[in-house]
Amino acid sequence: MKKSLTSLTLALSLIIPISAFAKNNVVVVATGGTIAGAGASSTNSATYTAAKVPVDDLLNAVPQIQNLANVSGVQALQIASESITDKELIQIARKINELVKKPDVNGVVITHGTDTLEETAFFLNLVVHTDKPIVVVGSMRPPSALSADGPLNLYSAVALAASNDAKGKGVFVLMNDSIFAARDVSKTINIHTNAFQSQWGALGTLVEGKTYWFRNSVKRHNNNSEFNIENIKGDALPLVQIVYGSDNMLPDSYLALQKAGVKAIVNAGTGNGSVPNYIVPTLNQLQQQGIQVVRSSRVPQGFVLRNAEQPDDKYGWVVAHDLNPQKARILAALALTKTKDAKEIQRIFWEY
Ligand code: DGL
């Protein structure tokens, strides 16, 4: 009896340490962008062609990721992200949704161009129901450049996607050692490696493959979202477009969008979402014809206060709160898959 117990204990002591080192399975879904770019020379850090390097070459260039997780690659797209439309957005979300539903997939990384990375990350945050880590990553320099940032960004993104403490926190953007909430992050500098920032700060940081957390997002996401990619049929979302505010505007910009069939207009207003007095009548005319009006701001920080610069209650307009115009476009499009009621759309903007 004693002998069999000893051998059982010995066996268990061997199994536990091995299981403790069992690696998670991470899938890298490549879509293009600078992280897959190619420049003519190593000194071309900003002049290059995006979306050239295939996913297997991206992974083979950073063999150290295999120490973090069992990593495999999928080439979902190979485009520069400024060219992503709602069609590709839905395609990416369906692919991620398919992967996270697999029991043997523990986390997903999406390599992506940085230009519209924030829109894709926010969309995934809203429509993919999972608590598994989903990490969107890009780079500001192509892998062919001196001090390319892509390899370390990819290494860190895999480390994050493989981290059990990253579960249930929402979709992440990993750039330049920072762990950002997909909802809050934006590309704020268009040529430097510290391009991505959030006015509410990062959720944490990742250094040498280890996560350090400092806060959580309080907004609804993933499993707590009323939106689900599985309920989106076809390859289009309700059409929502943005008009950029400035001085000397023309009503024609808005009327052209009405003619194009938009269901909502996001106004990237000046200041706290201000609208020129000579544009208000046009927006009210469109709102009365069923086009939703969402007041955002061209100013990168702060948030649009309801009934401050404009009497939103009186006009039946929506405010985007702290969402920038490009994210407000995503949320307005999803809201319109559920409702055409401005009050209900406003509730959605408060909660996500
Ligand atoms: N063409 C841009 C894009 O694919 C390059 C920017 C980048 O990926 O960093 O988003």
Side-chain angles (χ1 to χ4, degrees):
M1 177 62 174
K2 192 164 180 283
K3 196 175 175 192
S4 59
L5 268 178
T6 312
S7 53
L8 178 63
T9 310
L10 180 63
L12 279 175
S13 67
L14 280 175
I15 292 168
I16 291 167
I18 294 167
S19 62
F21 291 106
K23 293 184 288 189
N24 279 336
N25 301 320
V26 170
V27 180
V28 175
V29 178
T31 71
T34 298
I35 196 167
S41 83
S42 61
T43 53
N44 285 123
S45 60
T47 306
Y48 55 84
T49 306
K52 287 290 180 193
V53 179
V55 63
D56 288 343
D57 292 0
L58 291 179
L59 302 185
N60 293 337
V62 192
Q64 300 89 337
I65 57 178
Q66 298 300 342
N67 302 328
L68 298 167
N70 301 313
V71 184
S72 56
V74 170
Q75 190 80 48
L77 294 169
Q78 185 68 299
I79 61 172
S81 72
E82 67 270 20
S83 302
I84 286 177
T85 71
D86 289 350
K87 179 173 181 282
E88 288 77 25
L89 206 53
I90 291 167
Q91 182 185 335
I92 293 169
R94 283 179 178 147
K95 185 63 192 170
I96 304 313
N97 191 59
E98 173 201 319
L99 287 169
V100 295
K101 293 295 184 282
K102 293 183 176 187
D104 61 346
V105 172
N106 304 106
V108 178
V109 170
I110 299 105
T111 57
H112 195 288
T114 58
D115 284 9
T116 65
L117 189 150
E118 62 203 80
E119 285 104 311
T120 299
F122 185 41
F123 186 68
L124 296 173
N125 198 52
L126 293 166
V127 302
V128 178
H129 284 224
T130 184
D131 66 357
K132 295 178 182 176
I134 298 172
V135 186
V136 190
V137 65
S139 74
M140 293 302 291
R141 298 173 183 152
S144 52
L146 284 173
S147 302
D149 54 329
L152 181 57
N153 282 352
L154 178 59
Y155 177 85
S156 298
V158 169
L160 182 56
S163 300
N164 292 321
D165 63 9
K167 285 182 175 175
K169 292 179 182 279
V171 172
F172 304 110
V173 170
L174 189 292
M175 288 292 288
N176 201 38
D177 298 342
S178 290
I179 304 171
F180 292 107
R183 180 197 180 276
D184 306 338
V185 73
S186 185
K187 183 175 182 179
T188 61
I189 307 172
N190 55 25
I191 54 169
H192 294 160
T193 53
N194 62 331
F196 283 76
Q197 300 297 332
S198 157
Q199 68 171 325
W200 311 126
L203 296 177
T205 188
L206 195 142
V207 180
E208 295 188 354
K210 185 169 173 17
T211 54
Y212 300 87
W213 300 102
F214 301 104
R215 68 181 187 87
N216 285 315
S217 175
V218 296
K219 297 292 186 177
R220 294 176 66 177
H221 57 80
N222 299 112
N223 283 329
N224 187 26
S225 171
E226 63 202 272
F227 307 107
N228 191 324
I229 188 64
E230 293 174 8
N231 300 332
I232 293 176
K233 305 306 174 203
D235 59 6
L237 294 171
L239 182 62
V240 180
Q241 294 288 288
I242 301 167
V243 175
Y244 194 88
S246 67
D247 55 1
N248 202 42
M249 295 186 73
L250 293 176
D252 305 57
S253 310
Y254 300 89
L255 297 172
L257 290 175
Q258 174 199 28
K259 200 172 172 192
V262 292
K263 304 303 181 199
I265 291 176
V266 174
N267 197 67
T270 53
N272 196 251
S274 309
V275 177
N277 55 19
Y278 55 86
I279 294 292
V280 169
T282 302
L283 279 181
N284 276 331
Q285 169 201 330
L286 297 181
Q287 194 277 341
Q288 282 143 31
Q289 291 168 5
I291 294 174
Q292 299 296 334
V293 175
V294 181
R295 286 199 306 121
S296 180
S297 172
R298 73 182 198 179
V299 176
Q301 303 218 7
F303 61 83
V304 176
L305 210 60
R306 189 170 175 83
N307 294 319
E309 279 293 343
Q310 300 293 337
D312 301 294
D313 288 354
K314 179 182 168 195
Y315 290 164
W317 293 359
V318 175
V319 292
H321 200 30
D322 65 326
L323 289 180
N324 63 27
Q326 54 269 30
K327 288 191 175 167
R329 188 194 76 81
I330 297 287
L331 188 55
L334 280 173
L336 286 163
T337 65
K338 294 274 185 186
T339 179
K340 292 184 174 58
D341 176 71
K343 288 196 174 95
E344 186 56 6
I345 294 171
Q346 183 65 75
R347 187 241 344 136
I348 288 168
F349 271 86
W350 292 144
E351 293 182 4
Y352 290 87

